[in-house]
Amino acid sequence: GNSVTQMEGPVTLSEEAFLTINCTYTATGYPSLFWYVQYPGEGLQLLLKATKADDKGSNKGFEATYRKETTSFHLEKGSVQVSDSAVYFCALSDPSSGGSYIPTFGRGTSLIVHP
Amino acid sequence: DAEITQSPRHKITETGRQVTLACHQTWNHNNMFWYRQDLGHGLRLIHYSYGVQDTNKGEVSDGYSVSRSNTEDLPLTLESAASSQTSVYFCASVRDIGSEQYFGPGTRLTVT
């Protein structure tokens, strides 16, 4: 079956530090990959996505590249801000999963950014 | 703008009571989902629906039910609330396979 593994948190950084949150996946087909962000007290919202190998998704200074050879989709940001403090979820949606619309989520990684 | 809403946002109920959480979306998506989120467990799928009159069980469906009488709404019912069902519940919808999900703001349910 499909699975998503992301690094355990919390990740604690100082403002303006470089961020990497690792995400690796297993899938039977050619999935679309997503990063969602959840701010305190809110629902998840899409941060960025990539639909095929070597695609780079980007938004709000965050980037992630779909690496088929390493089955990875690591999230990066060059300079984090306090307002980036949130929980980040890596997810995949695999159209080859028997027509299923059910995505697979990682456990989430909490990011805490200190001033 | 299209959106997905949940009500109530907070609910406190007693063990054994029936509780219904509402989810309403104006995206006109056929596919809707209910998740619960608990510390240490991430998101867990409770039930999902691919269209009117269609409902399916997810990985943690025991004690929960859903009904789908129209495209916009997927209410989640806890038949007899238990303390183990204290959680934050999220509703979501998706347009197509491979597309992103749109989440509601969540309902925090406490069962005392």
Side-chain angles (χ1 to χ4, degrees):
Chain A
N2 299 330
S3 68
V4 173
T5 302
Q6 57 182 110
M7 59 192 292
E8 295 276 336
V11 173
T12 304
L13 295 172
S14 297
E15 205 164 26
E16 299 184 2
F18 185 86
L19 168 71
T20 300
I21 300 178
N22 290 335
C23 172
T24 57
Y25 68 90
T26 58
T28 54
Y30 299 94
S32 296
L33 302 175
F34 307 87
W35 277 102
Y36 291 86
V37 59
Q38 182 181 29
Y39 298 104
E42 299 183 10
L44 281 70
Q45 57 185 273
L46 180 69
L47 179 59
L48 54 83
K49 68 178 182 181
T51 57
K52 61 183 187 296
D54 299 325
D55 269 2
K56 178 186 284 189
S58 61
N59 186 25
K60 299 181 181 180
F62 291 89
E63 294 183 338
T65 301
Y66 190 143
R67 302 285 188 199
K68 188 170 181 295
E69 64 276 13
T70 55
T71 62
S72 65
F73 193 53
H74 304 322
L75 182 68
E76 296 182 336
K77 187 175 185 183
S79 176
V80 293
Q81 305 300 312
V82 173
S83 57
D84 294 325
S85 298
V87 180
Y88 293 82
F89 291 87
C90 185
L92 70 82
S93 182
D94 185 358
S96 69
S97 298
S100 169
Y101 287 78
I102 302 173
T104 302
F105 286 89
R107 287 284 190 94
T109 301
S110 175
L111 170 65
I112 301 169
V113 180
H114 293 294
Chain B
D1 286 347
E3 61 179 355
I4 180 165
T5 57
Q6 295 183 234
S7 62
R9 294 294 312 278
H10 302 272
K11 175 77 176 179
I12 300 173
T13 191
E14 294 177 345
T15 301
R17 293 206 180 245
Q18 185 181 78
V19 177
T20 297
L21 309 183
C23 173
H24 179 80
Q25 54 99 1
T26 57
W27 293 101
N28 201 34
H29 291 164
N30 285 324
N31 314 297
M32 296 182 71
F33 307 79
W34 273 104
Y35 297 91
R36 60 178 290 175
Q37 185 178 33
D38 304 285
L39 208 59
H41 291 278
L43 286 170
R44 291 185 289 177
L45 183 64
I46 305 171
H47 280 286
Y48 57 101
S49 169
Y50 288 157
V52 176
Q53 303 301 330
D54 177 75
T55 62
N56 305 279
K57 294 181 178 181
E59 61 180 297
V60 291
S61 61
D62 286 350
Y64 303 94
S65 63
V66 293
S67 60
R68 189 86 181 272
S69 59
N70 59 51
T71 300
E72 296 79 18
D73 299 291
L74 186 70
L76 177 71
T77 297
L78 286 69
E79 303 295 343
S80 177
S83 57
S84 60
Q85 295 176 309
T86 292
S87 186
V88 181
Y89 291 85
F90 290 99
C91 179
S93 70
V94 63
R95 185 188 69 225
D96 299 314
I97 293 175
S99 298
E100 64 269 27
Q101 287 198 319
Y102 294 84
F103 283 82
T107 294
R108 181 174 295 275
L109 176 69
T110 302
V111 183
T112 62

